Amino acid sequence: MDIEKIVDFEKAKQVFEEYLNGYDREDDRIKLKIIHTYCVVDCSREIALRMKLSNEDVQLAMLIGLLHDIGRFEQLKRYDSFEASTMDHAAQGVQTLFEEGMIRQFIQDDQFDELIRTAIAKHSDFKLEGIEDERILLHARLIRDADKLDNYRVKLEETTDTLLRKTPEEIGQEVITDKVFEDACHRKSIFSPDRKTAMDYWVSYIVYIYDINFKETLQIIKEKNYVPAIIHRIPYSNPDTIEKMNRIEMDVMDYISF
């Protein structure tokens, strides 16, 4: 069967828009996540096309992009927070789509349920583990790349007040804690509970780069100049932070200098 007959993306978008009517669209963070969702769809499509995937996989990547953060809206409604400690938004998304049966409103055929479910469930895991099926692993990696790719855009375009409830100047006054700096220097992603200061959060955004899976995604990040732009968005004023950021910048720029 033609994939467009299985995945009617325009209909899926209509269902998603109807779902959003249950939330406060005037809330800046709701707006942020709506924009992010559609941008992740675009990122998923761009990465998949650059990888020369089949049309079926391109369409599936776009649908997963549309649905990957559906749990975020309920998280914000219940807890007024995006912090992982308040809710596992990926698990909430799986519950909404698969336990409550909403997935059939987005795609009637169930042959891709395991693939979609796993990709959404694991898209925000600290490490991607436990997937043996190659095609499911492909899509789990792809949505993680697309999510991080658009998160770079978010960190440049959104106000720091929306992101961290602080001004750039306030962020730049804070310290980078030792564990976060050590992990960044070892080219590791930052584990969410290890982030203690606003600068820890900012560093974690920068070093998303170390968890990118595909060279096509890295190329897009490089083309858009995301990493140096994010690094230099903050006016660092704490002397220790300036020294540490110089080291982090050197390492990250070396990593993407291909």
Side-chain angles (χ1 to χ4, degrees):
M1 184 181 292
D2 191 347
I3 186 63
E4 278 84 0
K5 294 180 180 178
I6 299 175
V7 180
D8 184 339
F9 191 76
E10 290 305 312
K11 180 180 179 181
K13 282 176 62 177
Q14 291 176 9
V15 174
F16 182 66
E17 286 293 323
E18 291 170 4
Y19 176 79
L20 292 175
N21 289 334
Y23 300 91
D24 181 7
R25 289 173 174 263
E26 297 306 309
D27 185 298
D28 284 345
R29 288 172 293 173
I30 293 290
K31 289 180 181 179
L32 182 154
K33 282 302 172 183
I34 295 172
I35 294 169
H36 170 66
T37 294
Y38 287 122
C39 286
V40 169
V41 170
D42 292 339
C43 289
S44 297
R45 180 177 183 274
E46 177 66 16
I47 296 166
L49 289 174
R50 289 195 185 208
M51 292 177 69
K52 298 182 173 15
L53 299 183
S54 68
N55 184 46
E56 182 171 274
D57 282 319
V58 173
Q59 295 296 318
L60 285 170
M62 292 171 63
L63 181 62
I64 292 166
L66 182 72
L67 301 179
H68 83 286
D69 260 358
I70 199 166
R72 281 294 194 194
F73 302 99
E74 191 63 21
Q75 181 186 20
L76 191 60
K77 184 176 182 178
R78 292 187 195 177
Y79 300 103
D80 192 34
S81 172
F82 289 142
E83 287 294 323
S85 60
T86 63
M87 176 187 281
D88 182 339
H89 75 281
Q92 177 62 39
V94 168
Q95 178 177 326
T96 298
L97 292 167
F98 293 95
E99 309 307 327
E100 298 173 16
M102 193 178 181
I103 189 64
R104 293 284 78 83
Q105 297 179 46
F106 291 100
I107 178 172
Q108 291 186 352
D109 196 300
D110 66 0
Q111 66 176 297
F112 300 111
D113 277 8
E114 183 183 0
L115 186 153
I116 297 168
R117 180 181 187 132
T118 303
I120 292 172
K122 292 185 172 290
H123 84 271
S124 60
D125 284 3
F126 181 58
K127 292 183 179 180
L128 187 58
E129 298 174 328
I131 302 176
E132 296 183 1
D133 183 276
E134 290 186 5
R135 194 179 190 193
I136 294 176
L137 182 59
L138 167 71
H139 280 280
R141 287 173 169 166
L142 203 158
I143 186 58
R144 286 167 70 89
D145 271 22
D147 194 21
K148 290 181 176 66
L149 177 56
D150 189 61
N151 265 307
Y152 275 131
R153 176 198 62 79
V154 170
K155 300 313 182 280
L156 282 177
E157 294 184 1
E158 293 297 329
T159 67
T160 57
D161 180 67
T162 298
L163 296 170
L164 292 172
R165 295 293 191 244
K166 291 179 182 287
T167 67
E169 291 74 21
E170 289 171 334
I171 295 170
Q173 292 170 0
E174 297 194 15
V175 300
I176 303 169
T177 58
D178 290 343
K179 181 66 166 66
V180 167
F181 181 60
E182 179 183 349
D183 285 348
C185 289
H186 283 89
R187 296 186 173 182
K188 296 179 179 179
S189 294
I190 308 303
F191 188 43
S192 292
D194 289 337
R195 300 182 297 185
K196 309 302 182 185
T197 70
M199 270 307 309
D200 285 347
Y201 277 79
W202 203 256
V203 170
S204 75
Y205 305 153
I206 295 164
V207 300
Y208 284 156
I209 199 76
Y210 299 136
D211 195 37
I212 295 296
N213 294 281
F214 302 118
K215 67 180 187 299
E216 289 83 1
T217 314
L218 284 171
Q219 186 61 49
I220 297 170
I221 292 169
K222 190 173 181 179
E223 289 169 6
K224 292 182 177 293
N225 202 43
Y226 278 150
V227 173
I230 291 171
I231 290 172
H232 293 289
R233 183 178 182 188
I234 301 299
Y236 309 107
S237 56
N238 182 293
D240 186 63
T241 296
I242 292 171
E243 182 178 347
K244 287 178 176 176
M245 282 306 305
N246 286 339
R247 166 65 189 275
I248 291 169
E249 180 177 11
M250 180 181 67
D251 287 349
V252 170
M253 296 310 295
D254 177 68
Y255 186 79
I256 62 175
S257 62
F258 56 87

